[in-house]
Amino acid sequence: MPNFFYSQFFVTPKLPKKDLSCQTIIVTGANVGLGFEAAKHFANMRAERVILACRDQQKGNVAADQIRQSSLLAAKTHLEVWPLDLSSYASIEAFGKKVNTLTRLDAVVANAGILTKQFKLMEGNESTITVNVISTILMGLLVLPKLRESAKANKKDGVLTFVGSEVYTMAKFTEQNSDKLLATLNSPEKSNMGDRYNVSKLLLLFAVRELAKQNPVSDQNPVLISVLTPGFCKSSVFRDTGFGSKMMNFMAIIMGRETEVGSRTLVDAAVGKHGRNEHGEFLWDNKPAPPTGFVPSEKGQRIQKKLWSELNGKLEEAVPGVTATV
Ligand SMILES: NC(=O)c1ccc[n+]([C@@H]2O[C@H](COP(=O)([O-])OP(=O)(O)OC[C@H]3O[C@@H](n4cnc5c(N)ncnc54)[C@H](OP(=O)(O)O)[C@@H]3O)[C@@H](O)[C@H]2O)c1
């Protein structure tokens, strides 16, 4: 595992050199921040079609216009804004149906996420867990069949990559011994919202590793599934953290990457630079960085299985039949 401080101060991820002609790529949460910068890169790399999946159509339209105006190359890309609100299962299901009407889909970057200190329920679960974990995986399962179909037709591996974070290593995760992990995370009294974002990125890592394990990449299933960290970046993700937001923005001035620089890691994963070696991997500074410590430990593996089983229940409640795509 790279050292966080070394990575922040001495590593500048590079943008892969790739021509994305004919490709269709989806980026969630693409109206701002890392998702916006990644979408702009895809357009400048000649992608045929880039879909900005946003919860606010108007913000998405403004972002698409900014990308079109950013260069002559970007202006040639078909940029579309599709509605996707990860706080609503109905919205995710409708998005999944629309994705299945595409004639081609090369990569999906599941980037949208939140960081909040406020305890709130969304679709019956604490909002950070809903948006960053349950809904993100639900969206991933709904786009998998199209990625597979398209990859087989074009004889080129598809990519489903999730934006995680190295903060998973900092999660205290005091809920880890509970009989029911997700139910315990829903308790307003027991919730430690200071730890919640870190826990959400840990659970996302577990879920993506299990999803990748259950979908081994092969010629019959040519989709690379990965999770990446962009590193600590200047962005608006800290906006709902009250005083913490001022502190994080100050720290970002000292050691944060520009959002554009961080977004190169999203692009690197989406073009599948490491080929089938990136399947199931956590990518840090554009390289696989196999988790150490808790995640691969025996206990970590037990929790991964338990979480997956609980998640499957939630996903089936959200969209019956969706787990059959795994
Ligand atoms: N910045 C960092 O240092 C850092 C480090 C590691 C990982 N990350 C991860 O990188 C990803 C992007 O973050 P960012 O830093 O670019 O933050 P950001 O600027 O706040 O962007 C977050 C994006 O997610 C969207 N979003 C939030 N809730 C949503 C919902 N319910 N449905 C659909 N979209 C929703 C936001 O839409 P609105 O504009 O409408 O709110 C926005 O487009 C997140 O997953 C974050 O956890 C960030």
Side-chain angles (χ1 to χ4, degrees):
M1 293 265 286
N3 173 290
F4 171 74
F5 292 101
Y6 179 81
S7 166
Q8 289 300 130
F9 286 112
F10 299 111
V11 181
T12 306
K14 289 198 173 60
L15 188 66
K17 287 196 174 66
K18 205 138 189 183
D19 185 313
L20 303 179
S21 297
C22 307
Q23 296 201 21
T24 296
I25 299 177
I26 295 177
V27 187
T28 72
N31 56 289
V32 72
L34 293 159
F36 170 77
E37 294 294 343
K40 200 201 280 185
H41 281 309
F42 293 132
N44 278 295
M45 292 163 81
R46 299 174 192 270
E48 167 85 14
R49 190 172 186 185
V50 177
I51 296 167
L52 315 185
C54 302
R55 64 174 158 176
D56 183 321
Q57 182 82 29
Q58 200 146 14
K59 284 193 206 167
N61 290 341
V62 171
D65 279 343
Q66 284 172 350
I67 295 175
R68 281 184 200 104
Q69 286 158 19
S70 69
S71 75
L72 287 174
L73 266 184
K76 289 188 186 154
T77 297
H78 296 285
L79 283 156
E80 291 168 39
V81 181
W82 287 15
L84 174 67
D85 183 349
L86 296 174
S87 65
S88 152
Y89 293 156
S91 166
I92 303 164
E93 188 175 12
F95 176 78
K97 283 194 178 134
K98 197 165 174 187
V99 167
N100 277 295
T101 65
L102 288 168
T103 47
R104 178 168 178 161
L105 181 60
D106 297 88
V108 176
V109 183
N111 161 76
I114 56 166
L115 195 177
T116 180
K117 294 276 154 69
Q118 306 299 321
F119 184 95
K120 196 158 77 176
L121 292 178
M122 281 177 178
E123 291 289 14
N125 296 288
E126 189 282 316
S127 65
T128 323
I129 300 299
T130 301
V131 173
N132 294 2
V133 187
I134 304 172
S135 291
T136 293
I137 296 291
L138 178 62
M139 188 283 303
L141 293 193
L142 289 168
V143 300
L144 250 184
K146 180 52 72 175
L147 279 168
R148 271 190 205 121
E149 177 198 302
S150 181
K152 282 190 212 162
N154 296 299
K155 299 197 169 22
K156 177 195 146 299
D157 289 349
V159 176
L160 173 57
T161 192
F162 295 83
V163 180
S165 172
E166 70 280 5
V167 299
Y168 82 81
T169 57
M170 297 184 221
K172 295 189 186 74
F173 193 27
T174 51
E175 301 84 358
Q176 62 187 267
N177 294 322
S178 323
D179 274 354
K180 293 191 171 153
L181 296 170
L182 296 176
T184 307
L185 289 161
N186 281 342
S187 157
E189 296 80 29
K190 291 188 191 149
S191 281
N192 172 2
M193 292 305 287
D195 193 39
R196 185 51 55 93
Y197 177 75
N198 301 349
V199 168
S200 77
K201 293 299 183 183
L202 174 65
L203 298 189
L204 179 67
L205 176 63
F206 277 135
V208 176
R209 280 165 66 88
E210 192 59 33
L211 178 62
K213 198 168 157 189
Q214 307 229 353
N215 283 272
V217 65
S218 68
D219 291 345
Q220 281 319 298
N221 184 37
V223 181
L224 311 175
I225 299 175
S226 61
V227 53
L228 67 94
T229 177
F232 178 38
C233 302
K234 295 168 187 161
S235 85
S236 51
V237 77
F238 311 108
R239 61 183 173 264
D240 288 340
T241 55
F243 173 70
S245 137
K246 289 198 177 66
M247 210 174 74
M248 294 312 279
N249 287 333
F250 176 68
M251 279 175 63
I253 293 171
I254 298 170
M255 64 163 90
R257 289 177 175 161
E258 294 302 325
T259 325
E260 183 283 316
V261 174
S263 78
R264 297 176 194 172
T265 63
L266 279 62
V267 177
D268 194 82
V271 302
K273 198 180 75 188
H274 301 280
R276 294 187 174 183
N277 289 333
E278 83 182 41
H279 186 68
E281 292 293 337
F282 179 72
L283 303 168
W284 190 344
D285 289 340
N286 293 350
K287 289 191 215 75
T292 51
F294 180 60
V295 172
S297 71
E298 206 181 305
K299 183 167 187 190
Q301 288 306 288
R302 266 204 318 275
I303 289 182
Q304 180 168 311
K305 288 259 174 262
K306 188 174 163 61
L307 170 72
W308 187 250
S309 145
E310 289 189 24
L311 256 181
N312 270 255
K314 296 276 179 191
L315 298 169
E316 278 298 320
E317 267 172 39
V319 179
V322 68
T323 59
T325 60
V326 176

